[in-house]
Amino acid sequence: MAEYDMVIIGSGVAGALCAAGLSETGRKILVLEAAQNGLGVAQREQFRRVWDPAPGKSWNTPYLRTAGIRYYPSPGSADTRIYFDQPDAVKSLLTFKGYYQRLAGGSTWAWRGNTPRMMPGDFQLRSKYLSKVSPDDYGGANVVDWPLSYDDLKPWYLKAEHELGVSGNAEEWEALTPRDGAKYPMPGQPKSYSDLTLITRMGAKTVILDGEELPVEIITMAQARNTEAYDGRPACEGNHNCIPLCPTGAKYDATVHLKRAARNGVEIRTGCVVTKLDASPDGHISRVLYKQWDSESPQMERAVTGTTVILAANPIETPKILFNSGLYAEDDPYVGKHLMDHIQGECLALAPEAIFPFRGPQTLCGIDSLRDGNYRSKFASFRLTLGNDGWGRAGNPTSVVEENLNPAEPSTFSIGKTLRHKTVDKLTRLVRFGFSAEQLPQPDNRVELSDKLDDLGIRRPKIHYAVHKYTQEALQQGYRISKELFAAMGASHVGEEKFPLDDWNTAAHPMGTCRMGKNPSDSVVDKFGRCHNHKNLFVVGASVFPTGSATNPVLTLAALTLMALGEMGKT
Amino acid sequence: MKGATAIALGGATALVGTAAQGANATDHEAFIALSVTLTGLTAAELPAMVEQNDALGVRLKLYEIYFERLRSSYPAEFRELLVAWREVEDKPDHELVLSEKLAAMDPAAERLRVAARQVVKIWLLSTIDDPRTKPDVKTGRNNGQLGGDLGQYQYSAIWKLIGAPVPGYSSFSHGYWVNKPGIKLDAGAAYSLLPISTDLLLPDIGTIVELPDG
């Protein structure tokens, strides 16, 4: 007799949804979480007190001083190349730059909150666009259709939108991601003055992608950010701090569901780093082993049993646990393979007039009308974001002030009214398009185990990675189109003629490594996340994505998780 | 600031005793006037009179805190800048004259530029360059920054100048971003000089565990 009906490993959005959803069935549930942060208002304020005085305000700044962080390292606690062993990362295009935060509530503490659905064509990339193309033309990627269609997932998307609290304008999205007329739980975010000015300037516009003329429609991003009081959380007040920390909770994060689960009696055991899973000869997961770093014996391995085990880590930590458990060999053709991210670039410009960025959420609008098209037989899908945050990572108040105050350049060193004019003039005209491209599931993009250990003696992830030409070309197309759109808006492009590929950045959307499929011979789990080889083990989260599309992954992984709850409940 | 003692606290600087015990009022007046000239802010826009408690609960004004931070981080350069300021402060075109001093090619002028940069940065951004680092000679950017104490960031004046809330500290209502901000680009709105009561003694970070709290 197991101690728990369900043991959930990890408490990001997938784990939290499992905990909250299954708690309503009266089962005895345990969540094991490596970190030890709280979930409430006091913890949010505590994070803010770490972030506020920090000179460099990065995505992970609030979380760098969480208790015991050395015991559960991640890219959120160190440079990615410090935690990840990346022996091949000698060039930018060979470096996995993705990151995540190990916290109760996971990386949703620091996410941007964008929640578009995948498009129908995203579920059928192979059959719709690549079936007649030699895999050699796209780097030998192992592209498959998803084992379910958009229509299969549609009701779960709607449920996920209600669970997370998504605001959006249904009429803007109906043609892209059919909704059968269903409204979002809340109306969309109001477009910013900046967005409205640029949209008006651009007017009606089409672009050509591989000979196909496609419309450019700048629409309000569907986002898990309240536009009115919802689920006990306030409307967004435009703190412009979604990353790294929403100070009010207007943006959804997984603490919402963790708190709901806890209220329903779920035990959330923090400070527990899972080391491995034990399996009986028939594949049944018999024990979950973990180390409790905040105990008197942090190196002692402890065990807990669950009738069902749900692995809700992420596409790096999940295969790490499976390999450390010896459940799969590191040369397994599917476990740990097909690691994907969204590969991002940026195109910068100066608007012809003050448009006042930095007001409101960091992102409000994007272009999704280019995400699907016949061009996908030649290069990757991509979506564009019209930034509301100046030049994002490339330009902000600090950098603009500093460039006007360069001690090594007396001729441009400015003070007083001149400094003020130059600084304000530039900062109020900054605009950027970000473009985010699909990455195909390459078998060689993979997670293995390093010989290097973390402080609990657990083997760290070793990653092999490359960005293939199929994706690189999409970055060039995104850059080209951005320049065209800036020209239509009357904005002056700032930067090189072509996108400098070494400047690509991560969207921090790790996906893949435990793909789902109908056939046990070419996948790790079924569409519900149930492991083919271990019937009482479920994998949830973006790990199960067979392909990555260009879509922000959270809503899709939430929909898949909600769909799987019924199947988990049968065990 | 004779007689005042600076102590390091969490990478920032706090004062023991009032700043007025050390730096004389003339120094402070000069610093405020210099700050207005360098930043381009008006006296009303400069959040100089914002108050904050130091580590012992002594209430200080932001100009006192910033004066001491600059003096302790850039002692020679800051002193030279104040001397240079005193030479021009009474001139009707003091901004222009100071600008010309800063534009000179000699090493002394570069030291003045380093100090002037810190004065501007501390008011506009609440950060200064880490004195152990140097900005990139081409771009002027510097990855080595020193932050202020808790609470000072929200008085970074740059955000006011561009009509945006300080990130994380919006005092506006949902949807404010639809409208053009009500500012004049070269003469922004004044700060409301409400004192903040921020305890510089940070609590022990990372020990709060409060599951669940609804």
Short mmCIF file of all heavy atoms in Angstrom, two decimals, chain A residues 36 39-40 46 48-49 51-52 65 67 189-190 193 236-239 263 359-360 394 399 402 405-407 416-417 420, chain B residues 37-38 40 45 95 113 117 121 137 141-142 145 151 161 163 167-170 174 176-177 179 188 204 206 209-211 213:
data_model
loop_
_atom_site.label_atom_id
_atom_site.label_comp_id
_atom_site.label_asym_id
_atom_site.label_seq_id
_atom_site.Cartn_x
_atom_site.Cartn_y
_atom_site.Cartn_z
N GLN A 36 12.42 26.20 -1.48
CA GLN A 36 11.75 26.32 -0.18
C GLN A 36 11.11 27.69 -0.02
O GLN A 36 11.03 28.21 1.09
CB GLN A 36 12.77 26.08 0.95
CG GLN A 36 12.14 25.72 2.27
CD GLN A 36 13.11 25.98 3.41
OE1 GLN A 36 13.78 27.00 3.44
NE2 GLN A 36 13.17 25.04 4.34
N LEU A 39 4.56 31.08 -0.88
CA LEU A 39 3.67 31.26 -2.01
C LEU A 39 2.85 32.55 -1.95
O LEU A 39 2.17 32.88 -2.90
CB LEU A 39 2.68 30.09 -2.10
CG LEU A 39 3.28 28.69 -2.15
CD1 LEU A 39 2.18 27.64 -2.12
CD2 LEU A 39 4.13 28.53 -3.40
N GLY A 40 2.94 33.23 -0.86
CA GLY A 40 1.98 34.30 -0.64
C GLY A 40 2.54 35.69 -0.80
O GLY A 40 3.62 35.92 -1.35
N GLN A 46 9.16 39.75 -0.25
CA GLN A 46 10.54 39.38 0.05
C GLN A 46 11.37 39.35 -1.24
O GLN A 46 12.51 39.85 -1.27
CB GLN A 46 10.56 38.00 0.71
CG GLN A 46 11.92 37.60 1.24
CD GLN A 46 12.19 38.22 2.60
OE1 GLN A 46 11.66 39.28 2.92
NE2 GLN A 46 13.00 37.57 3.39
N ARG A 48 10.77 41.08 -3.81
CA ARG A 48 10.92 42.46 -4.26
C ARG A 48 12.03 43.16 -3.47
O ARG A 48 12.77 43.98 -4.02
CB ARG A 48 9.60 43.22 -4.09
CG ARG A 48 9.72 44.64 -4.59
CD ARG A 48 8.44 45.23 -5.08
NE ARG A 48 7.61 45.78 -4.04
CZ ARG A 48 6.63 46.66 -4.28
NH1 ARG A 48 6.37 47.04 -5.51
NH2 ARG A 48 5.91 47.11 -3.31
N ARG A 49 12.17 42.80 -2.23
CA ARG A 49 13.20 43.44 -1.40
C ARG A 49 14.60 42.97 -1.80
O ARG A 49 15.58 43.64 -1.48
CB ARG A 49 12.92 43.17 0.08
CG ARG A 49 11.71 43.94 0.59
CD ARG A 49 11.26 43.43 1.94
NE ARG A 49 12.12 43.85 3.02
CZ ARG A 49 11.99 45.00 3.69
NH1 ARG A 49 11.03 45.84 3.38
NH2 ARG A 49 12.79 45.30 4.67
N TRP A 51 15.23 42.27 -5.07
CA TRP A 51 15.36 42.83 -6.42
C TRP A 51 15.60 44.34 -6.38
O TRP A 51 16.42 44.88 -7.13
CB TRP A 51 14.09 42.49 -7.20
CG TRP A 51 13.84 43.30 -8.41
CD1 TRP A 51 14.33 43.08 -9.66
CD2 TRP A 51 13.02 44.48 -8.49
NE1 TRP A 51 13.87 44.05 -10.52
CE2 TRP A 51 13.07 44.91 -9.83
CE3 TRP A 51 12.26 45.20 -7.57
CZ2 TRP A 51 12.39 46.04 -10.27
CZ3 TRP A 51 11.58 46.31 -8.01
CH2 TRP A 51 11.65 46.71 -9.34
N ASP A 52 14.87 45.03 -5.50
CA ASP A 52 14.86 46.50 -5.52
C ASP A 52 16.24 47.13 -5.45
O ASP A 52 16.58 48.00 -6.27
CB ASP A 52 13.95 46.99 -4.38
CG ASP A 52 13.99 48.49 -4.20
OD1 ASP A 52 15.04 49.03 -3.79
OD2 ASP A 52 12.96 49.15 -4.44
N ARG A 65 18.66 34.85 -3.87
CA ARG A 65 18.98 34.67 -2.45
C ARG A 65 17.98 33.76 -1.75
O ARG A 65 17.84 33.81 -0.54
CB ARG A 65 19.06 36.05 -1.76
CG ARG A 65 20.25 36.85 -2.25
CD ARG A 65 20.23 38.28 -1.77
NE ARG A 65 20.39 38.38 -0.32
CZ ARG A 65 20.33 39.53 0.35
NH1 ARG A 65 20.11 40.65 -0.31
NH2 ARG A 65 20.49 39.56 1.65
N ALA A 67 16.59 30.58 0.01
CA ALA A 67 17.30 29.72 0.95
C ALA A 67 17.78 28.43 0.26
O ALA A 67 17.05 27.83 -0.53
CB ALA A 67 16.39 29.37 2.11
N GLN A 189 -6.03 43.11 -23.06
CA GLN A 189 -5.36 44.29 -22.52
C GLN A 189 -5.55 45.46 -23.50
O GLN A 189 -5.47 45.26 -24.72
CB GLN A 189 -3.86 44.03 -22.35
CG GLN A 189 -3.51 42.96 -21.35
CD GLN A 189 -3.69 43.42 -19.91
OE1 GLN A 189 -3.88 44.60 -19.64
NE2 GLN A 189 -3.64 42.48 -19.00
N PRO A 190 -5.75 46.65 -23.00
CA PRO A 190 -5.79 47.80 -23.91
C PRO A 190 -4.42 47.98 -24.58
O PRO A 190 -3.39 47.81 -23.92
CB PRO A 190 -6.08 48.98 -22.97
CG PRO A 190 -6.47 48.40 -21.66
CD PRO A 190 -5.89 47.02 -21.59
N TYR A 193 -0.34 53.43 -25.97
CA TYR A 193 -0.21 54.60 -26.85
C TYR A 193 0.84 54.31 -27.92
O TYR A 193 0.66 54.65 -29.09
CB TYR A 193 0.19 55.82 -26.02
CG TYR A 193 0.43 57.05 -26.83
CD1 TYR A 193 -0.63 57.82 -27.30
CD2 TYR A 193 1.73 57.45 -27.15
CE1 TYR A 193 -0.41 58.95 -28.06
CE2 TYR A 193 1.96 58.58 -27.91
CZ TYR A 193 0.89 59.33 -28.37
OH TYR A 193 1.13 60.44 -29.13
N CYS A 236 -4.18 44.30 -13.81
CA CYS A 236 -2.80 44.78 -14.00
C CYS A 236 -2.75 46.31 -13.88
O CYS A 236 -3.57 47.01 -14.48
CB CYS A 236 -2.30 44.34 -15.38
SG CYS A 236 -0.71 45.04 -15.83
N GLU A 237 -1.80 46.79 -13.13
CA GLU A 237 -1.61 48.24 -12.97
C GLU A 237 -0.44 48.75 -13.81
O GLU A 237 0.00 49.88 -13.64
CB GLU A 237 -1.36 48.57 -11.49
CG GLU A 237 -2.56 48.27 -10.61
CD GLU A 237 -2.22 48.36 -9.13
OE1 GLU A 237 -1.02 48.55 -8.80
OE2 GLU A 237 -3.14 48.22 -8.32
N GLY A 238 0.07 47.89 -14.68
CA GLY A 238 1.13 48.34 -15.58
C GLY A 238 2.42 48.66 -14.88
O GLY A 238 3.05 49.68 -15.13
N ASN A 239 2.85 47.76 -14.01
CA ASN A 239 4.12 47.97 -13.31
C ASN A 239 5.34 47.81 -14.20
O ASN A 239 6.46 48.10 -13.79
CB ASN A 239 4.24 47.02 -12.12
CG ASN A 239 3.57 47.57 -10.89
OD1 ASN A 239 4.12 48.40 -10.20
ND2 ASN A 239 2.33 47.14 -10.63
N ARG A 263 -4.91 24.31 0.09
CA ARG A 263 -6.19 24.49 0.79
C ARG A 263 -7.03 23.21 0.77
O ARG A 263 -7.80 22.93 1.68
CB ARG A 263 -6.99 25.64 0.16
CG ARG A 263 -6.54 27.01 0.58
CD ARG A 263 -7.60 28.06 0.25
NE ARG A 263 -7.89 28.13 -1.17
CZ ARG A 263 -7.23 28.91 -2.03
NH1 ARG A 263 -6.24 29.67 -1.58
NH2 ARG A 263 -7.56 28.94 -3.30
N ARG A 359 5.52 51.94 -20.65
CA ARG A 359 4.27 52.18 -19.93
C ARG A 359 3.33 50.99 -20.14
O ARG A 359 2.97 50.67 -21.25
CB ARG A 359 3.60 53.46 -20.45
CG ARG A 359 4.37 54.73 -20.06
CD ARG A 359 3.92 55.95 -20.87
NE ARG A 359 2.48 56.19 -20.84
CZ ARG A 359 1.85 56.83 -19.84
NH1 ARG A 359 2.54 57.29 -18.83
NH2 ARG A 359 0.55 57.03 -19.90
N GLY A 360 2.95 50.33 -19.05
CA GLY A 360 2.08 49.17 -19.15
C GLY A 360 2.88 47.89 -19.14
O GLY A 360 4.09 47.89 -18.89
N ALA A 394 18.47 45.17 -25.34
CA ALA A 394 19.51 45.91 -26.07
C ALA A 394 19.56 47.40 -25.75
O ALA A 394 20.51 48.07 -26.14
CB ALA A 394 19.29 45.74 -27.58
N SER A 399 21.37 52.12 -20.22
CA SER A 399 22.31 52.15 -21.34
C SER A 399 22.27 53.49 -22.07
O SER A 399 23.30 53.99 -22.53
CB SER A 399 22.04 50.99 -22.31
OG SER A 399 20.77 51.12 -22.89
N GLU A 402 24.02 56.06 -19.95
CA GLU A 402 25.47 55.81 -19.95
C GLU A 402 26.13 56.20 -21.27
O GLU A 402 27.27 56.70 -21.27
CB GLU A 402 25.74 54.34 -19.64
CG GLU A 402 25.49 54.01 -18.16
CD GLU A 402 25.95 52.61 -17.79
OE1 GLU A 402 26.05 51.74 -18.69
OE2 GLU A 402 26.22 52.39 -16.61
N LEU A 405 27.10 59.64 -21.36
CA LEU A 405 28.04 60.01 -20.29
C LEU A 405 29.28 59.14 -20.35
O LEU A 405 29.73 58.59 -19.35
CB LEU A 405 27.37 59.83 -18.92
CG LEU A 405 26.21 60.78 -18.57
CD1 LEU A 405 25.46 60.25 -17.37
CD2 LEU A 405 26.74 62.18 -18.29
N ASN A 406 29.80 58.99 -21.55
CA ASN A 406 30.98 58.15 -21.72
C ASN A 406 32.24 58.96 -21.39
O ASN A 406 32.61 59.88 -22.14
CB ASN A 406 31.04 57.63 -23.16
CG ASN A 406 32.18 56.65 -23.37
OD1 ASN A 406 33.01 56.46 -22.46
ND2 ASN A 406 32.21 56.03 -24.53
N PRO A 407 32.92 58.65 -20.29
CA PRO A 407 34.09 59.45 -19.91
C PRO A 407 35.19 59.44 -20.96
O PRO A 407 36.00 60.36 -21.02
CB PRO A 407 34.57 58.78 -18.62
CG PRO A 407 33.43 57.96 -18.13
CD PRO A 407 32.65 57.56 -19.35
N GLY A 416 23.26 68.46 -18.23
CA GLY A 416 22.24 69.50 -18.16
C GLY A 416 21.12 69.33 -19.18
O GLY A 416 20.66 68.22 -19.45
N LYS A 417 20.73 70.45 -19.72
CA LYS A 417 19.58 70.44 -20.65
C LYS A 417 19.87 69.58 -21.87
O LYS A 417 18.98 68.91 -22.41
CB LYS A 417 19.23 71.87 -21.07
CG LYS A 417 18.72 72.74 -19.91
CD LYS A 417 18.36 74.14 -20.40
CE LYS A 417 17.98 75.04 -19.23
NZ LYS A 417 19.15 75.35 -18.34
N ARG A 420 19.54 65.94 -20.87
CA ARG A 420 18.13 65.61 -20.67
C ARG A 420 17.41 65.45 -22.01
O ARG A 420 16.67 64.49 -22.22
CB ARG A 420 17.47 66.70 -19.83
CG ARG A 420 15.98 66.47 -19.62
CD ARG A 420 15.42 67.47 -18.65
NE ARG A 420 13.99 67.20 -18.44
CZ ARG A 420 13.31 67.59 -17.38
NH1 ARG A 420 13.93 68.24 -16.42
NH2 ARG A 420 12.03 67.33 -17.26
N THR B 37 22.33 71.07 -12.10
CA THR B 37 23.01 71.47 -13.34
C THR B 37 23.40 70.27 -14.19
O THR B 37 23.22 70.26 -15.40
CB THR B 37 24.27 72.30 -12.99
OG1 THR B 37 23.85 73.44 -12.25
CG2 THR B 37 25.00 72.74 -14.25
N LEU B 38 23.93 69.26 -13.56
CA LEU B 38 24.40 68.10 -14.34
C LEU B 38 23.25 67.28 -14.90
O LEU B 38 23.30 66.82 -16.04
CB LEU B 38 25.27 67.20 -13.45
CG LEU B 38 26.66 67.71 -13.10
CD1 LEU B 38 27.35 66.77 -12.12
CD2 LEU B 38 27.52 67.87 -14.35
N GLY B 40 20.09 68.16 -15.42
CA GLY B 40 19.07 68.82 -16.23
C GLY B 40 17.70 68.79 -15.57
O GLY B 40 16.72 69.26 -16.14
N GLU B 45 12.23 68.79 -9.37
CA GLU B 45 12.22 67.39 -9.85
C GLU B 45 13.25 66.53 -9.14
O GLU B 45 13.11 65.31 -9.10
CB GLU B 45 12.52 67.37 -11.36
CG GLU B 45 11.41 67.92 -12.21
CD GLU B 45 11.85 68.12 -13.65
OE1 GLU B 45 13.07 68.23 -13.91
OE2 GLU B 45 10.98 68.16 -14.52
N GLU B 95 26.29 76.27 -16.55
CA GLU B 95 26.15 74.95 -17.19
C GLU B 95 27.09 74.85 -18.40
O GLU B 95 27.77 73.83 -18.60
CB GLU B 95 24.71 74.70 -17.62
CG GLU B 95 24.51 73.33 -18.25
CD GLU B 95 23.07 73.07 -18.64
OE1 GLU B 95 22.16 73.47 -17.89
OE2 GLU B 95 22.86 72.46 -19.71
N ARG B 113 34.78 63.98 -15.53
CA ARG B 113 33.69 63.31 -16.24
C ARG B 113 33.25 62.06 -15.50
O ARG B 113 32.05 61.75 -15.43
CB ARG B 113 34.13 62.95 -17.67
CG ARG B 113 34.27 64.15 -18.59
CD ARG B 113 34.34 63.74 -20.06
NE ARG B 113 35.58 63.04 -20.39
CZ ARG B 113 36.74 63.63 -20.70
NH1 ARG B 113 36.81 64.95 -20.70
NH2 ARG B 113 37.80 62.93 -21.01
N ARG B 117 29.50 61.75 -14.17
CA ARG B 117 28.68 60.60 -14.58
C ARG B 117 28.02 59.96 -13.36
O ARG B 117 26.84 59.60 -13.40
CB ARG B 117 29.59 59.61 -15.32
CG ARG B 117 28.97 58.26 -15.65
CD ARG B 117 30.02 57.43 -16.39
NE ARG B 117 29.72 56.02 -16.39
CZ ARG B 117 29.31 55.33 -17.46
NH1 ARG B 117 29.15 55.95 -18.61
NH2 ARG B 117 29.08 54.04 -17.38
N LYS B 121 24.07 59.57 -12.69
CA LYS B 121 23.52 58.22 -12.56
C LYS B 121 22.80 58.03 -11.23
O LYS B 121 21.76 57.39 -11.17
CB LYS B 121 24.64 57.17 -12.72
CG LYS B 121 25.08 56.96 -14.17
CD LYS B 121 26.08 55.83 -14.31
CE LYS B 121 25.48 54.50 -13.91
NZ LYS B 121 26.40 53.37 -14.15
N VAL B 137 34.90 51.74 -23.53
CA VAL B 137 35.32 53.02 -24.10
C VAL B 137 34.53 53.40 -25.35
O VAL B 137 34.41 54.58 -25.68
CB VAL B 137 36.84 53.01 -24.44
CG1 VAL B 137 37.66 52.92 -23.17
CG2 VAL B 137 37.18 51.89 -25.39
N ARG B 141 28.94 51.95 -21.81
CA ARG B 141 28.17 51.08 -20.92
C ARG B 141 29.10 50.37 -19.94
O ARG B 141 30.27 50.13 -20.24
CB ARG B 141 27.39 50.03 -21.73
CG ARG B 141 26.36 50.66 -22.64
CD ARG B 141 25.52 49.61 -23.31
NE ARG B 141 24.57 50.20 -24.23
CZ ARG B 141 23.60 49.53 -24.83
NH1 ARG B 141 23.46 48.23 -24.61
NH2 ARG B 141 22.77 50.13 -25.65
N ASN B 142 28.54 50.05 -18.81
CA ASN B 142 29.35 49.40 -17.78
C ASN B 142 28.54 48.29 -17.13
O ASN B 142 27.42 48.52 -16.65
CB ASN B 142 29.77 50.43 -16.72
CG ASN B 142 30.80 49.87 -15.76
OD1 ASN B 142 31.12 48.68 -15.82
ND2 ASN B 142 31.31 50.70 -14.88
N GLN B 145 28.03 47.63 -11.76
CA GLN B 145 27.20 48.67 -11.15
C GLN B 145 27.08 48.42 -9.66
O GLN B 145 27.12 47.28 -9.20
CB GLN B 145 25.78 48.62 -11.74
CG GLN B 145 25.71 48.66 -13.25
CD GLN B 145 25.68 50.07 -13.78
OE1 GLN B 145 25.38 51.00 -13.05
NE2 GLN B 145 26.02 50.24 -15.04
N GLY B 151 14.64 50.80 -1.46
CA GLY B 151 13.74 51.93 -1.48
C GLY B 151 14.20 53.08 -2.35
O GLY B 151 13.40 53.90 -2.78
N LEU B 161 10.97 61.37 -16.04
CA LEU B 161 11.25 62.20 -17.21
C LEU B 161 10.61 61.65 -18.47
O LEU B 161 10.27 62.40 -19.38
CB LEU B 161 12.77 62.31 -17.45
CG LEU B 161 13.57 63.07 -16.40
CD1 LEU B 161 15.02 63.21 -16.86
CD2 LEU B 161 12.97 64.44 -16.16
N GLY B 163 7.89 59.79 -18.49
CA GLY B 163 6.45 59.58 -18.31
C GLY B 163 6.07 58.16 -18.00
O GLY B 163 4.93 57.73 -18.26
N PRO B 167 9.58 50.82 -12.82
CA PRO B 167 9.15 49.42 -12.90
C PRO B 167 8.98 48.81 -11.51
O PRO B 167 9.87 48.92 -10.65
CB PRO B 167 10.28 48.75 -13.68
CG PRO B 167 10.78 49.84 -14.57
CD PRO B 167 10.70 51.09 -13.73
N GLY B 168 7.85 48.19 -11.33
CA GLY B 168 7.56 47.58 -10.03
C GLY B 168 6.87 48.51 -9.06
O GLY B 168 6.44 48.09 -8.00
N TYR B 169 6.75 49.79 -9.41
CA TYR B 169 6.18 50.76 -8.47
C TYR B 169 5.15 51.64 -9.17
O TYR B 169 5.15 52.86 -8.99
CB TYR B 169 7.28 51.62 -7.85
CG TYR B 169 8.19 50.84 -6.94
CD1 TYR B 169 9.45 50.41 -7.36
CD2 TYR B 169 7.80 50.50 -5.65
CE1 TYR B 169 10.29 49.68 -6.53
CE2 TYR B 169 8.62 49.77 -4.81
CZ TYR B 169 9.86 49.37 -5.25
OH TYR B 169 10.68 48.64 -4.43
N SER B 170 4.30 51.03 -9.96
CA SER B 170 3.27 51.83 -10.61
C SER B 170 2.29 52.37 -9.59
O SER B 170 1.85 51.65 -8.69
CB SER B 170 2.50 50.97 -11.63
OG SER B 170 1.37 51.66 -12.11
N HIS B 174 -5.16 50.51 -13.90
CA HIS B 174 -5.20 49.66 -15.09
C HIS B 174 -5.55 50.48 -16.34
O HIS B 174 -6.49 51.26 -16.32
CB HIS B 174 -6.24 48.56 -14.89
CG HIS B 174 -6.44 47.73 -16.11
ND1 HIS B 174 -5.51 46.82 -16.55
CD2 HIS B 174 -7.45 47.69 -17.02
CE1 HIS B 174 -5.94 46.25 -17.66
NE2 HIS B 174 -7.11 46.76 -17.96
N TYR B 176 -3.75 52.76 -17.91
CA TYR B 176 -3.20 54.12 -18.07
C TYR B 176 -2.35 54.25 -19.32
O TYR B 176 -2.18 55.32 -19.90
CB TYR B 176 -2.37 54.52 -16.83
CG TYR B 176 -1.03 53.81 -16.74
CD1 TYR B 176 0.09 54.29 -17.41
CD2 TYR B 176 -0.89 52.63 -16.02
CE1 TYR B 176 1.30 53.64 -17.36
CE2 TYR B 176 0.32 51.96 -15.96
CZ TYR B 176 1.41 52.47 -16.63
OH TYR B 176 2.60 51.81 -16.60
N TRP B 177 -1.83 53.12 -19.77
CA TRP B 177 -0.86 53.13 -20.87
C TRP B 177 -1.49 53.43 -22.23
O TRP B 177 -0.78 53.61 -23.20
CB TRP B 177 -0.12 51.79 -20.92
CG TRP B 177 -1.02 50.58 -20.92
CD1 TRP B 177 -1.62 49.99 -21.99
CD2 TRP B 177 -1.43 49.80 -19.78
NE1 TRP B 177 -2.36 48.91 -21.60
CE2 TRP B 177 -2.26 48.76 -20.24
CE3 TRP B 177 -1.14 49.88 -18.42
CZ2 TRP B 177 -2.83 47.81 -19.39
CZ3 TRP B 177 -1.71 48.93 -17.56
CH2 TRP B 177 -2.54 47.92 -18.04
N ASN B 179 -3.01 56.09 -22.91
CA ASN B 179 -2.90 57.54 -23.14
C ASN B 179 -1.45 58.00 -23.21
O ASN B 179 -0.55 57.39 -22.63
CB ASN B 179 -3.61 58.29 -22.03
CG ASN B 179 -5.08 57.91 -21.96
OD1 ASN B 179 -5.77 57.90 -22.97
ND2 ASN B 179 -5.54 57.55 -20.76
N GLY B 188 9.49 67.89 -16.95
CA GLY B 188 8.55 66.90 -16.41
C GLY B 188 7.91 67.36 -15.13
O GLY B 188 8.25 68.39 -14.56
N ASP B 204 16.46 38.91 7.11
CA ASP B 204 17.18 37.75 6.62
C ASP B 204 16.43 37.18 5.42
O ASP B 204 15.28 36.77 5.53
CB ASP B 204 17.28 36.70 7.73
CG ASP B 204 18.20 35.56 7.34
OD1 ASP B 204 18.94 35.72 6.36
OD2 ASP B 204 18.15 34.53 8.02
N GLY B 206 15.11 34.97 2.39
CA GLY B 206 14.96 33.58 1.98
C GLY B 206 14.55 32.64 3.09
O GLY B 206 14.67 31.42 2.94
N VAL B 209 8.75 30.89 4.93
CA VAL B 209 8.01 29.75 4.39
C VAL B 209 6.63 29.83 5.00
O VAL B 209 6.48 29.78 6.21
CB VAL B 209 8.68 28.42 4.74
CG1 VAL B 209 7.85 27.26 4.19
CG2 VAL B 209 10.08 28.36 4.17
N GLU B 210 5.65 29.98 4.18
CA GLU B 210 4.34 30.23 4.75
C GLU B 210 3.30 29.53 3.87
O GLU B 210 2.52 30.14 3.19
CB GLU B 210 4.06 31.72 4.87
CG GLU B 210 4.83 32.57 3.90
CD GLU B 210 3.96 33.33 2.94
OE1 GLU B 210 2.82 33.60 3.30
OE2 GLU B 210 4.42 33.61 1.83
N LEU B 211 3.36 28.24 3.88
CA LEU B 211 2.42 27.44 3.10
C LEU B 211 1.28 26.97 4.00
O LEU B 211 1.55 26.39 5.04
CB LEU B 211 3.10 26.19 2.55
CG LEU B 211 4.16 26.38 1.49
CD1 LEU B 211 4.85 25.06 1.21
CD2 LEU B 211 3.54 26.89 0.22
N ASP B 213 -1.25 30.19 2.50
CA ASP B 213 -1.84 31.36 3.12
C ASP B 213 -3.07 31.83 2.37
O ASP B 213 -3.60 32.87 2.65
CB ASP B 213 -0.82 32.50 3.23
CG ASP B 213 -0.45 33.04 1.87
OD1 ASP B 213 -0.94 32.50 0.85
OD2 ASP B 213 0.29 34.00 1.81
#
